[in-house]
PDB file of all heavy atoms in Angstrom:
ATOM      1  N   LYS X   9       5.606 -13.323  10.652  1.00 96.00           N
ATOM      2  CA  LYS X   9       5.103 -13.455  12.015  1.00 96.00           C
ATOM      3  C   LYS X   9       3.586 -13.484  12.067  1.00 96.00           C
ATOM      4  O   LYS X   9       2.991 -14.250  12.845  1.00 96.00           O
ATOM      5  CB  LYS X   9       5.623 -12.300  12.874  1.00 96.00           C
ATOM      6  CG  LYS X   9       5.100 -12.322  14.306  1.00 96.00           C
ATOM      7  CD  LYS X   9       5.702 -11.201  15.140  1.00 96.00           C
ATOM      8  CE  LYS X   9       5.152 -11.236  16.577  1.00 96.00           C
ATOM      9  NZ  LYS X   9       5.772 -10.188  17.428  1.00 96.00           N
ATOM     10  N   TYR X  10       2.937 -12.662  11.238  1.00 97.00           N
ATOM     11  CA  TYR X  10       1.483 -12.531  11.318  1.00 97.00           C
ATOM     12  C   TYR X  10       0.741 -13.395  10.298  1.00 97.00           C
ATOM     13  O   TYR X  10      -0.485 -13.388  10.266  1.00 97.00           O
ATOM     14  CB  TYR X  10       1.082 -11.068  11.151  1.00 97.00           C
ATOM     15  CG  TYR X  10       1.400 -10.237  12.383  1.00 97.00           C
ATOM     16  CD1 TYR X  10       2.598  -9.552  12.491  1.00 97.00           C
ATOM     17  CD2 TYR X  10       0.501 -10.159  13.441  1.00 97.00           C
ATOM     18  CE1 TYR X  10       2.900  -8.794  13.616  1.00 97.00           C
ATOM     19  CE2 TYR X  10       0.784  -9.413  14.570  1.00 97.00           C
ATOM     20  CZ  TYR X  10       1.988  -8.731  14.650  1.00 97.00           C
ATOM     21  OH  TYR X  10       2.272  -7.992  15.777  1.00 97.00           O
ATOM     22  N   LYS X  11       1.468 -14.135   9.495  1.00 95.00           N
ATOM     23  CA  LYS X  11       0.813 -15.041   8.563  1.00 95.00           C
ATOM     24  C   LYS X  11      -0.007 -16.061   9.336  1.00 95.00           C
ATOM     25  O   LYS X  11       0.479 -16.688  10.276  1.00 95.00           O
ATOM     26  CB  LYS X  11       1.865 -15.750   7.708  1.00 95.00           C
ATOM     27  CG  LYS X  11       1.285 -16.704   6.678  1.00 95.00           C
ATOM     28  CD  LYS X  11       2.400 -17.354   5.868  1.00 95.00           C
ATOM     29  CE  LYS X  11       1.844 -18.304   4.832  1.00 95.00           C
ATOM     30  NZ  LYS X  11       2.921 -18.960   4.043  1.00 95.00           N
ATOM     31  N   GLY X  12      -1.253 -16.229   8.973  1.00 93.00           N
ATOM     32  CA  GLY X  12      -2.139 -17.138   9.681  1.00 93.00           C
ATOM     33  C   GLY X  12      -2.845 -16.502  10.863  1.00 93.00           C
ATOM     34  O   GLY X  12      -3.812 -17.061  11.377  1.00 93.00           O
ATOM     35  N   ARG X  13      -2.364 -15.323  11.311  1.00 95.00           N
ATOM     36  CA  ARG X  13      -2.986 -14.628  12.440  1.00 95.00           C
ATOM     37  C   ARG X  13      -3.800 -13.432  11.974  1.00 95.00           C
ATOM     38  O   ARG X  13      -4.789 -13.059  12.610  1.00 95.00           O
ATOM     39  CB  ARG X  13      -1.901 -14.163  13.412  1.00 95.00           C
ATOM     40  CG  ARG X  13      -1.136 -15.301  14.057  1.00 95.00           C
ATOM     41  CD  ARG X  13       0.116 -14.823  14.760  1.00 95.00           C
ATOM     42  NE  ARG X  13      -0.155 -13.773  15.729  1.00 95.00           N
ATOM     43  CZ  ARG X  13       0.801 -13.101  16.374  1.00 95.00           C
ATOM     44  NH1 ARG X  13       2.069 -13.355  16.130  1.00 95.00           N
ATOM     45  NH2 ARG X  13       0.482 -12.166  17.240  1.00 95.00           N
ATOM     46  N   LYS X  14      -3.365 -12.798  10.885  1.00 97.00           N
ATOM     47  CA  LYS X  14      -4.073 -11.659  10.307  1.00 97.00           C
ATOM     48  C   LYS X  14      -4.315 -11.929   8.825  1.00 97.00           C
ATOM     49  O   LYS X  14      -3.613 -12.729   8.198  1.00 97.00           O
ATOM     50  CB  LYS X  14      -3.261 -10.373  10.457  1.00 97.00           C
ATOM     51  CG  LYS X  14      -2.939  -9.998  11.902  1.00 97.00           C
ATOM     52  CD  LYS X  14      -4.179  -9.611  12.680  1.00 97.00           C
ATOM     53  CE  LYS X  14      -3.821  -9.250  14.118  1.00 97.00           C
ATOM     54  NZ  LYS X  14      -5.025  -8.954  14.926  1.00 97.00           N
ATOM     55  N   LYS X  15      -5.288 -11.230   8.271  1.00 97.00           N
ATOM     56  CA  LYS X  15      -5.641 -11.423   6.865  1.00 97.00           C
ATOM     57  C   LYS X  15      -4.866 -10.473   5.957  1.00 97.00           C
ATOM     58  O   LYS X  15      -4.379 -10.873   4.908  1.00 97.00           O
ATOM     59  CB  LYS X  15      -7.151 -11.199   6.699  1.00 97.00           C
ATOM     60  CG  LYS X  15      -7.656 -11.193   5.266  1.00 97.00           C
ATOM     61  CD  LYS X  15      -7.534 -12.527   4.581  1.00 97.00           C
ATOM     62  CE  LYS X  15      -8.192 -12.487   3.200  1.00 97.00           C
ATOM     63  NZ  LYS X  15      -7.937 -13.720   2.425  1.00 97.00           N
ATOM     64  N   TRP X  16      -4.738  -9.197   6.367  1.00 98.00           N
ATOM     65  CA  TRP X  16      -4.218  -8.181   5.459  1.00 98.00           C
ATOM     66  C   TRP X  16      -3.072  -7.384   6.073  1.00 98.00           C
ATOM     67  O   TRP X  16      -3.054  -7.136   7.276  1.00 98.00           O
ATOM     68  CB  TRP X  16      -5.318  -7.176   5.084  1.00 98.00           C
ATOM     69  CG  TRP X  16      -6.518  -7.751   4.425  1.00 98.00           C
ATOM     70  CD1 TRP X  16      -7.736  -8.024   4.997  1.00 98.00           C
ATOM     71  CD2 TRP X  16      -6.641  -8.132   3.054  1.00 98.00           C
ATOM     72  NE1 TRP X  16      -8.592  -8.547   4.078  1.00 98.00           N
ATOM     73  CE2 TRP X  16      -7.953  -8.627   2.868  1.00 98.00           C
ATOM     74  CE3 TRP X  16      -5.771  -8.108   1.962  1.00 98.00           C
ATOM     75  CZ2 TRP X  16      -8.411  -9.077   1.642  1.00 98.00           C
ATOM     76  CZ3 TRP X  16      -6.234  -8.559   0.735  1.00 98.00           C
ATOM     77  CH2 TRP X  16      -7.536  -9.037   0.585  1.00 98.00           C
ATOM     78  N   LEU X  17      -2.150  -6.957   5.218  1.00 98.00           N
ATOM     79  CA  LEU X  17      -1.174  -5.924   5.544  1.00 98.00           C
ATOM     80  C   LEU X  17      -1.471  -4.732   4.654  1.00 98.00           C
ATOM     81  O   LEU X  17      -1.495  -4.866   3.424  1.00 98.00           O
ATOM     82  CB  LEU X  17       0.253  -6.413   5.303  1.00 98.00           C
ATOM     83  CG  LEU X  17       1.368  -5.363   5.428  1.00 98.00           C
ATOM     84  CD1 LEU X  17       1.439  -4.799   6.838  1.00 98.00           C
ATOM     85  CD2 LEU X  17       2.724  -5.946   5.020  1.00 98.00           C
ATOM     86  N   ASP X  18      -1.725  -3.586   5.267  1.00 98.00           N
ATOM     87  CA  ASP X  18      -2.041  -2.356   4.542  1.00 98.00           C
ATOM     88  C   ASP X  18      -0.850  -1.407   4.660  1.00 98.00           C
ATOM     89  O   ASP X  18      -0.530  -0.928   5.741  1.00 98.00           O
ATOM     90  CB  ASP X  18      -3.304  -1.714   5.144  1.00 98.00           C
ATOM     91  CG  ASP X  18      -3.673  -0.407   4.466  1.00 98.00           C
ATOM     92  OD1 ASP X  18      -3.024  -0.028   3.474  1.00 98.00           O
ATOM     93  OD2 ASP X  18      -4.618   0.252   4.950  1.00 98.00           O
ATOM     94  N   PHE X  19      -0.192  -1.135   3.521  1.00 97.00           N
ATOM     95  CA  PHE X  19       0.983  -0.269   3.515  1.00 97.00           C
ATOM     96  C   PHE X  19       0.634   1.218   3.586  1.00 97.00           C
ATOM     97  O   PHE X  19       1.511   2.048   3.774  1.00 97.00           O
ATOM     98  CB  PHE X  19       1.810  -0.509   2.252  1.00 97.00           C
ATOM     99  CG  PHE X  19       2.809  -1.619   2.379  1.00 97.00           C
ATOM    100  CD1 PHE X  19       2.717  -2.743   1.573  1.00 97.00           C
ATOM    101  CD2 PHE X  19       3.847  -1.542   3.284  1.00 97.00           C
ATOM    102  CE1 PHE X  19       3.645  -3.766   1.672  1.00 97.00           C
ATOM    103  CE2 PHE X  19       4.787  -2.559   3.391  1.00 97.00           C
ATOM    104  CZ  PHE X  19       4.678  -3.675   2.584  1.00 97.00           C
ATOM    105  N   GLY X  20      -0.644   1.564   3.384  1.00 94.00           N
ATOM    106  CA  GLY X  20      -1.000   2.980   3.374  1.00 94.00           C
ATOM    107  C   GLY X  20      -0.863   3.596   1.996  1.00 94.00           C
ATOM    108  O   GLY X  20      -0.345   2.988   1.061  1.00 94.00           O
ATOM    109  N   ILE X  21      -1.327   4.850   1.878  1.00 93.00           N
ATOM    110  CA  ILE X  21      -1.460   5.470   0.573  1.00 93.00           C
ATOM    111  C   ILE X  21      -0.114   5.893  -0.016  1.00 93.00           C
ATOM    112  O   ILE X  21       0.835   6.181   0.709  1.00 93.00           O
ATOM    113  CB  ILE X  21      -2.431   6.675   0.618  1.00 93.00           C
ATOM    114  CG1 ILE X  21      -1.869   7.795   1.505  1.00 93.00           C
ATOM    115  CG2 ILE X  21      -3.788   6.227   1.113  1.00 93.00           C
ATOM    116  CD1 ILE X  21      -2.714   9.050   1.471  1.00 93.00           C
ATOM    117  N   SER X  22      -0.072   5.934  -1.351  1.00 93.00           N
ATOM    118  CA  SER X  22       1.116   6.375  -2.089  1.00 93.00           C
ATOM    119  C   SER X  22       0.796   7.564  -2.973  1.00 93.00           C
ATOM    120  O   SER X  22       1.495   7.827  -3.953  1.00 93.00           O
ATOM    121  CB  SER X  22       1.657   5.214  -2.938  1.00 93.00           C
ATOM    122  OG  SER X  22       2.051   4.128  -2.131  1.00 93.00           O
ATOM    123  N   THR X  23      -0.268   8.292  -2.647  1.00 90.00           N
ATOM    124  CA  THR X  23      -0.648   9.486  -3.396  1.00 90.00           C
ATOM    125  C   THR X  23      -0.248  10.729  -2.612  1.00 90.00           C
ATOM    126  O   THR X  23      -0.310  10.749  -1.383  1.00 90.00           O
ATOM    127  CB  THR X  23      -2.156   9.490  -3.677  1.00 90.00           C
ATOM    128  OG1 THR X  23      -2.860   8.984  -2.532  1.00 90.00           O
ATOM    129  CG2 THR X  23      -2.483   8.601  -4.858  1.00 90.00           C
ATOM    130  N   GLU X  24       0.147  11.772  -3.333  1.00 83.00           N
ATOM    131  CA  GLU X  24       0.695  12.970  -2.710  1.00 83.00           C
ATOM    132  C   GLU X  24       0.153  14.220  -3.391  1.00 83.00           C
ATOM    133  O   GLU X  24      -0.581  14.141  -4.366  1.00 83.00           O
ATOM    134  CB  GLU X  24       2.227  12.968  -2.806  1.00 83.00           C
ATOM    135  CG  GLU X  24       2.900  11.754  -2.185  1.00 83.00           C
ATOM    136  CD  GLU X  24       4.385  11.716  -2.438  1.00 83.00           C
ATOM    137  OE1 GLU X  24       4.888  12.615  -3.147  1.00 83.00           O
ATOM    138  OE2 GLU X  24       5.067  10.793  -1.942  1.00 83.00           O
ATOM    139  N   HIS X  25       0.564  15.386  -2.866  1.00 63.00           N
ATOM    140  CA  HIS X  25       0.251  16.694  -3.449  1.00 63.00           C
ATOM    141  C   HIS X  25      -1.244  16.861  -3.701  1.00 63.00           C
ATOM    142  O   HIS X  25      -1.695  17.023  -4.834  1.00 63.00           O
ATOM    143  CB  HIS X  25       1.024  16.910  -4.759  1.00 63.00           C
ATOM    144  CG  HIS X  25       2.506  16.727  -4.628  1.00 63.00           C
ATOM    145  ND1 HIS X  25       3.232  17.300  -3.613  1.00 63.00           N
ATOM    146  CD2 HIS X  25       3.399  16.031  -5.367  1.00 63.00           C
ATOM    147  CE1 HIS X  25       4.504  16.969  -3.743  1.00 63.00           C
ATOM    148  NE2 HIS X  25       4.631  16.196  -4.789  1.00 63.00           N
ATOM    149  N   GLY X  26      -2.002  16.812  -2.616  1.00 61.00           N
ATOM    150  CA  GLY X  26      -3.446  16.924  -2.767  1.00 61.00           C
ATOM    151  C   GLY X  26      -4.063  15.674  -3.349  1.00 61.00           C
ATOM    152  O   GLY X  26      -5.186  15.685  -3.836  1.00 61.00           O
ATOM    153  N   ARG X  27      -3.302  14.581  -3.308  1.00 68.00           N
ATOM    154  CA  ARG X  27      -3.766  13.263  -3.735  1.00 68.00           C
ATOM    155  C   ARG X  27      -4.044  13.186  -5.226  1.00 68.00           C
ATOM    156  O   ARG X  27      -4.827  12.361  -5.679  1.00 68.00           O
ATOM    157  CB  ARG X  27      -5.000  12.862  -2.932  1.00 68.00           C
ATOM    158  CG  ARG X  27      -4.647  12.562  -1.482  1.00 68.00           C
ATOM    159  CD  ARG X  27      -5.734  12.917  -0.541  1.00 68.00           C
ATOM    160  NE  ARG X  27      -5.476  12.308   0.768  1.00 68.00           N
ATOM    161  CZ  ARG X  27      -6.268  12.440   1.799  1.00 68.00           C
ATOM    162  NH1 ARG X  27      -7.353  13.138   1.710  1.00 68.00           N
ATOM    163  NH2 ARG X  27      -5.957  11.874   2.950  1.00 68.00           N
ATOM    164  N   VAL X  28      -3.390  14.014  -6.009  1.00 75.00           N
ATOM    165  CA  VAL X  28      -3.533  13.936  -7.459  1.00 75.00           C
ATOM    166  C   VAL X  28      -2.282  13.364  -8.105  1.00 75.00           C
ATOM    167  O   VAL X  28      -2.259  13.116  -9.309  1.00 75.00           O
ATOM    168  CB  VAL X  28      -3.830  15.323  -8.062  1.00 75.00           C
ATOM    169  CG1 VAL X  28      -5.162  15.844  -7.562  1.00 75.00           C
ATOM    170  CG2 VAL X  28      -2.720  16.319  -7.744  1.00 75.00           C
ATOM    171  N   TYR X  29      -1.234  13.142  -7.310  1.00 89.00           N
ATOM    172  CA  TYR X  29       0.029  12.639  -7.833  1.00 89.00           C
ATOM    173  C   TYR X  29       0.324  11.272  -7.235  1.00 89.00           C
ATOM    174  O   TYR X  29       0.307  11.100  -6.020  1.00 89.00           O
ATOM    175  CB  TYR X  29       1.168  13.604  -7.491  1.00 89.00           C
ATOM    176  CG  TYR X  29       2.558  13.046  -7.709  1.00 89.00           C
ATOM    177  CD1 TYR X  29       3.066  12.909  -8.996  1.00 89.00           C
ATOM    178  CD2 TYR X  29       3.345  12.646  -6.635  1.00 89.00           C
ATOM    179  CE1 TYR X  29       4.332  12.385  -9.202  1.00 89.00           C
ATOM    180  CE2 TYR X  29       4.612  12.127  -6.827  1.00 89.00           C
ATOM    181  CZ  TYR X  29       5.099  12.002  -8.113  1.00 89.00           C
ATOM    182  OH  TYR X  29       6.352  11.484  -8.304  1.00 89.00           O
ATOM    183  N   LEU X  30       0.573  10.292  -8.087  1.00 92.00           N
ATOM    184  CA  LEU X  30       0.931   8.957  -7.633  1.00 92.00           C
ATOM    185  C   LEU X  30       2.444   8.843  -7.562  1.00 92.00           C
ATOM    186  O   LEU X  30       3.133   9.017  -8.574  1.00 92.00           O
ATOM    187  CB  LEU X  30       0.373   7.893  -8.583  1.00 92.00           C
ATOM    188  CG  LEU X  30       0.756   6.438  -8.254  1.00 92.00           C
ATOM    189  CD1 LEU X  30       0.115   5.999  -6.937  1.00 92.00           C
ATOM    190  CD2 LEU X  30       0.327   5.507  -9.389  1.00 92.00           C
ATOM    191  N   ASN X  31       2.959   8.562  -6.371  1.00 91.00           N
ATOM    192  CA  ASN X  31       4.389   8.332  -6.205  1.00 91.00           C
ATOM    193  C   ASN X  31       4.688   6.926  -6.723  1.00 91.00           C
ATOM    194  O   ASN X  31       4.551   5.947  -5.993  1.00 91.00           O
ATOM    195  CB  ASN X  31       4.777   8.490  -4.739  1.00 91.00           C
ATOM    196  CG  ASN X  31       6.277   8.438  -4.517  1.00 91.00           C
ATOM    197  OD1 ASN X  31       6.997   7.732  -5.213  1.00 91.00           O
ATOM    198  ND2 ASN X  31       6.752   9.199  -3.533  1.00 91.00           N
ATOM    199  N   GLU X  32       5.073   6.845  -7.983  1.00 94.00           N
ATOM    200  CA  GLU X  32       5.222   5.548  -8.635  1.00 94.00           C
ATOM    201  C   GLU X  32       6.345   4.717  -8.017  1.00 94.00           C
ATOM    202  O   GLU X  32       6.243   3.492  -7.929  1.00 94.00           O
ATOM    203  CB  GLU X  32       5.446   5.741 -10.134  1.00 94.00           C
ATOM    204  CG  GLU X  32       4.247   6.345 -10.846  1.00 94.00           C
ATOM    205  CD  GLU X  32       4.469   6.489 -12.343  1.00 94.00           C
ATOM    206  OE1 GLU X  32       5.579   6.145 -12.813  1.00 94.00           O
ATOM    207  OE2 GLU X  32       3.541   6.944 -13.043  1.00 94.00           O
ATOM    208  N   GLY X  33       7.416   5.377  -7.593  1.00 92.00           N
ATOM    209  CA  GLY X  33       8.507   4.654  -6.965  1.00 92.00           C
ATOM    210  C   GLY X  33       8.097   4.046  -5.645  1.00 92.00           C
ATOM    211  O   GLY X  33       8.431   2.894  -5.340  1.00 92.00           O
ATOM    212  N   LEU X  34       7.329   4.806  -4.854  1.00 92.00           N
ATOM    213  CA  LEU X  34       6.883   4.332  -3.552  1.00 92.00           C
ATOM    214  C   LEU X  34       5.927   3.163  -3.686  1.00 92.00           C
ATOM    215  O   LEU X  34       6.066   2.135  -3.001  1.00 92.00           O
ATOM    216  CB  LEU X  34       6.222   5.473  -2.783  1.00 92.00           C
ATOM    217  CG  LEU X  34       5.662   5.140  -1.397  1.00 92.00           C
ATOM    218  CD1 LEU X  34       6.770   4.643  -0.476  1.00 92.00           C
ATOM    219  CD2 LEU X  34       4.971   6.370  -0.796  1.00 92.00           C
ATOM    220  N   ILE X  35       4.950   3.285  -4.588  1.00 95.00           N
ATOM    221  CA  ILE X  35       3.967   2.201  -4.710  1.00 95.00           C
ATOM    222  C   ILE X  35       4.595   0.962  -5.340  1.00 95.00           C
ATOM    223  O   ILE X  35       4.235  -0.171  -5.004  1.00 95.00           O
ATOM    224  CB  ILE X  35       2.715   2.668  -5.492  1.00 95.00           C
ATOM    225  CG1 ILE X  35       1.537   1.719  -5.183  1.00 95.00           C
ATOM    226  CG2 ILE X  35       2.967   2.734  -6.988  1.00 95.00           C
ATOM    227  CD1 ILE X  35       0.196   2.239  -5.655  1.00 95.00           C
ATOM    228  N   ALA X  36       5.583   1.154  -6.224  1.00 96.00           N
ATOM    229  CA  ALA X  36       6.261   0.007  -6.814  1.00 96.00           C
ATOM    230  C   ALA X  36       7.038  -0.767  -5.749  1.00 96.00           C
ATOM    231  O   ALA X  36       7.095  -2.003  -5.778  1.00 96.00           O
ATOM    232  CB  ALA X  36       7.205   0.471  -7.923  1.00 96.00           C
ATOM    233  N   GLN X  37       7.633  -0.034  -4.796  1.00 94.00           N
ATOM    234  CA  GLN X  37       8.347  -0.685  -3.704  1.00 94.00           C
ATOM    235  C   GLN X  37       7.395  -1.543  -2.878  1.00 94.00           C
ATOM    236  O   GLN X  37       7.713  -2.683  -2.523  1.00 94.00           O
ATOM    237  CB  GLN X  37       9.008   0.356  -2.814  1.00 94.00           C
ATOM    238  CG  GLN X  37       9.770  -0.234  -1.639  1.00 94.00           C
ATOM    239  CD  GLN X  37      10.293   0.821  -0.692  1.00 94.00           C
ATOM    240  OE1 GLN X  37       9.771   1.937  -0.649  1.00 94.00           O
ATOM    241  NE2 GLN X  37      11.323   0.489   0.062  1.00 94.00           N
ATOM    242  N   LYS X  38       6.218  -1.008  -2.584  1.00 96.00           N
ATOM    243  CA  LYS X  38       5.235  -1.763  -1.808  1.00 96.00           C
ATOM    244  C   LYS X  38       4.711  -2.963  -2.591  1.00 96.00           C
ATOM    245  O   LYS X  38       4.540  -4.056  -2.045  1.00 96.00           O
ATOM    246  CB  LYS X  38       4.076  -0.839  -1.416  1.00 96.00           C
ATOM    247  CG  LYS X  38       4.489   0.321  -0.504  1.00 96.00           C
ATOM    248  CD  LYS X  38       3.356   1.305  -0.310  1.00 96.00           C
ATOM    249  CE  LYS X  38       3.766   2.482   0.559  1.00 96.00           C
ATOM    250  NZ  LYS X  38       2.684   3.486   0.711  1.00 96.00           N
ATOM    251  N   GLU X  39       4.455  -2.765  -3.877  1.00 97.00           N
ATOM    252  CA  GLU X  39       3.955  -3.855  -4.716  1.00 97.00           C
ATOM    253  C   GLU X  39       4.966  -4.999  -4.814  1.00 97.00           C
ATOM    254  O   GLU X  39       4.581  -6.166  -4.957  1.00 97.00           O
ATOM    255  CB  GLU X  39       3.627  -3.327  -6.109  1.00 97.00           C
ATOM    256  CG  GLU X  39       2.417  -2.417  -6.157  1.00 97.00           C
ATOM    257  CD  GLU X  39       2.266  -1.707  -7.499  1.00 97.00           C
ATOM    258  OE1 GLU X  39       3.277  -1.581  -8.225  1.00 97.00           O
ATOM    259  OE2 GLU X  39       1.145  -1.268  -7.801  1.00 97.00           O
ATOM    260  N   SER X  40       6.249  -4.662  -4.708  1.00 97.00           N
ATOM    261  CA  SER X  40       7.286  -5.677  -4.868  1.00 97.00           C
ATOM    262  C   SER X  40       7.293  -6.699  -3.738  1.00 97.00           C
ATOM    263  O   SER X  40       7.909  -7.764  -3.853  1.00 97.00           O
ATOM    264  CB  SER X  40       8.667  -5.015  -4.975  1.00 97.00           C
ATOM    265  OG  SER X  40       9.040  -4.401  -3.756  1.00 97.00           O
ATOM    266  N   PHE X  41       6.594  -6.394  -2.631  1.00 97.00           N
ATOM    267  CA  PHE X  41       6.453  -7.363  -1.542  1.00 97.00           C
ATOM    268  C   PHE X  41       5.327  -8.361  -1.813  1.00 97.00           C
ATOM    269  O   PHE X  41       5.108  -9.273  -1.021  1.00 97.00           O
ATOM    270  CB  PHE X  41       6.190  -6.646  -0.223  1.00 97.00           C
ATOM    271  CG  PHE X  41       7.402  -6.009   0.382  1.00 97.00           C
ATOM    272  CD1 PHE X  41       7.676  -4.671   0.177  1.00 97.00           C
ATOM    273  CD2 PHE X  41       8.282  -6.757   1.158  1.00 97.00           C
ATOM    274  CE1 PHE X  41       8.800  -4.083   0.733  1.00 97.00           C
ATOM    275  CE2 PHE X  41       9.411  -6.174   1.725  1.00 97.00           C
ATOM    276  CZ  PHE X  41       9.673  -4.837   1.502  1.00 97.00           C
ATOM    277  N   GLY X  42       4.590  -8.154  -2.908  1.00 96.00           N
ATOM    278  CA  GLY X  42       3.482  -9.037  -3.240  1.00 96.00           C
ATOM    279  C   GLY X  42       2.135  -8.387  -3.017  1.00 96.00           C
ATOM    280  O   GLY X  42       1.149  -9.079  -2.744  1.00 96.00           O
ATOM    281  N   GLY X  43       2.080  -7.072  -3.127  1.00 96.00           N
ATOM    282  CA  GLY X  43       0.848  -6.334  -2.860  1.00 96.00           C
ATOM    283  C   GLY X  43       0.127  -5.880  -4.110  1.00 96.00           C
ATOM    284  O   GLY X  43       0.705  -5.824  -5.195  1.00 96.00           O
ATOM    285  N   ARG X  44      -1.138  -5.551  -3.932  1.00 97.00           N
ATOM    286  CA  ARG X  44      -1.974  -4.989  -4.997  1.00 97.00           C
ATOM    287  C   ARG X  44      -2.695  -3.763  -4.454  1.00 97.00           C
ATOM    288  O   ARG X  44      -2.812  -3.566  -3.241  1.00 97.00           O
ATOM    289  CB  ARG X  44      -2.999  -6.027  -5.495  1.00 97.00           C
ATOM    290  CG  ARG X  44      -2.387  -7.251  -6.156  1.00 97.00           C
ATOM    291  CD  ARG X  44      -1.826  -6.941  -7.539  1.00 97.00           C
ATOM    292  NE  ARG X  44      -2.884  -6.547  -8.466  1.00 97.00           N
ATOM    293  CZ  ARG X  44      -3.590  -7.415  -9.197  1.00 97.00           C
ATOM    294  NH1 ARG X  44      -3.372  -8.721  -9.086  1.00 97.00           N
ATOM    295  NH2 ARG X  44      -4.507  -6.994 -10.027  1.00 97.00           N
ATOM    296  N   THR X  45      -3.215  -2.961  -5.355  1.00 97.00           N
ATOM    297  CA  THR X  45      -3.838  -1.696  -4.968  1.00 97.00           C
ATOM    298  C   THR X  45      -5.215  -1.892  -4.353  1.00 97.00           C
ATOM    299  O   THR X  45      -6.049  -2.650  -4.856  1.00 97.00           O
ATOM    300  CB  THR X  45      -3.961  -0.763  -6.182  1.00 97.00           C
ATOM    301  OG1 THR X  45      -2.653  -0.402  -6.619  1.00 97.00           O
ATOM    302  CG2 THR X  45      -4.731   0.506  -5.841  1.00 97.00           C
ATOM    303  N   GLY X  46      -5.430  -1.194  -3.233  1.00 97.00           N
ATOM    304  CA  GLY X  46      -6.752  -1.005  -2.646  1.00 97.00           C
ATOM    305  C   GLY X  46      -6.949   0.494  -2.498  1.00 97.00           C
ATOM    306  O   GLY X  46      -5.966   1.242  -2.439  1.00 97.00           O
ATOM    307  N   VAL X  47      -8.184   0.938  -2.438  1.00 95.00           N
ATOM    308  CA  VAL X  47      -8.421   2.387  -2.477  1.00 95.00           C
ATOM    309  C   VAL X  47      -9.110   2.894  -1.215  1.00 95.00           C
ATOM    310  O   VAL X  47      -9.865   2.176  -0.561  1.00 95.00           O
ATOM    311  CB  VAL X  47      -9.253   2.798  -3.711  1.00 95.00           C
ATOM    312  CG1 VAL X  47      -8.523   2.427  -4.989  1.00 95.00           C
ATOM    313  CG2 VAL X  47     -10.645   2.180  -3.685  1.00 95.00           C
ATOM    314  N   TYR X  48      -8.792   4.140  -0.908  1.00 94.00           N
ATOM    315  CA  TYR X  48      -9.475   4.909   0.137  1.00 94.00           C
ATOM    316  C   TYR X  48     -10.299   5.970  -0.597  1.00 94.00           C
ATOM    317  O   TYR X  48      -9.751   6.751  -1.374  1.00 94.00           O
ATOM    318  CB  TYR X  48      -8.479   5.617   1.040  1.00 94.00           C
ATOM    319  CG  TYR X  48      -7.693   4.749   1.991  1.00 94.00           C
ATOM    320  CD1 TYR X  48      -7.440   3.408   1.751  1.00 94.00           C
ATOM    321  CD2 TYR X  48      -7.176   5.293   3.166  1.00 94.00           C
ATOM    322  CE1 TYR X  48      -6.699   2.627   2.620  1.00 94.00           C
ATOM    323  CE2 TYR X  48      -6.431   4.521   4.060  1.00 94.00           C
ATOM    324  CZ  TYR X  48      -6.199   3.192   3.774  1.00 94.00           C
ATOM    325  OH  TYR X  48      -5.468   2.438   4.647  1.00 94.00           O
ATOM    326  N   GLU X  49     -11.600   6.019  -0.332  1.00 95.00           N
ATOM    327  CA  GLU X  49     -12.499   6.937  -1.038  1.00 95.00           C
ATOM    328  C   GLU X  49     -12.937   8.092  -0.147  1.00 95.00           C
ATOM    329  O   GLU X  49     -13.232   7.902   1.040  1.00 95.00           O
ATOM    330  CB  GLU X  49     -13.751   6.200  -1.521  1.00 95.00           C
ATOM    331  CG  GLU X  49     -13.481   5.126  -2.541  1.00 95.00           C
ATOM    332  CD  GLU X  49     -14.741   4.375  -2.932  1.00 95.00           C
ATOM    333  OE1 GLU X  49     -15.790   4.590  -2.277  1.00 95.00           O
ATOM    334  OE2 GLU X  49     -14.685   3.583  -3.887  1.00 95.00           O
TER     335      GLU X  49
END
């Protein structure tokens, strides 16, 4: 629906437990839609 209308889809963070643990299953699910990692600093 938003292709051509918006540039980016941001799935949000996949880090947990004080942001030191990467939920690998969660981020893999998001990546499977055609996504790559971006960071929040």
Side-chain angles (χ1 to χ4, degrees):
K9 178 177 180 177
Y10 286 93
K11 181 180 180 181
R13 296 167 54 187
K14 301 293 180 184
K15 173 66 174 172
W16 301 101
L17 172 63
D18 178 5
F19 273 118
I21 65 174
S22 298
T23 39
E24 303 174 357
H25 306 313
R27 290 147 166 180
V28 296
Y29 167 75
L30 177 67
N31 187 327
E32 295 182 358
L34 179 60
I35 200 168
Q37 180 186 23
K38 297 172 182 178
E39 290 169 338
S40 67
F41 284 96
R44 296 287 295 272
T45 294
V47 299
Y48 288 26
E49 296 177 351

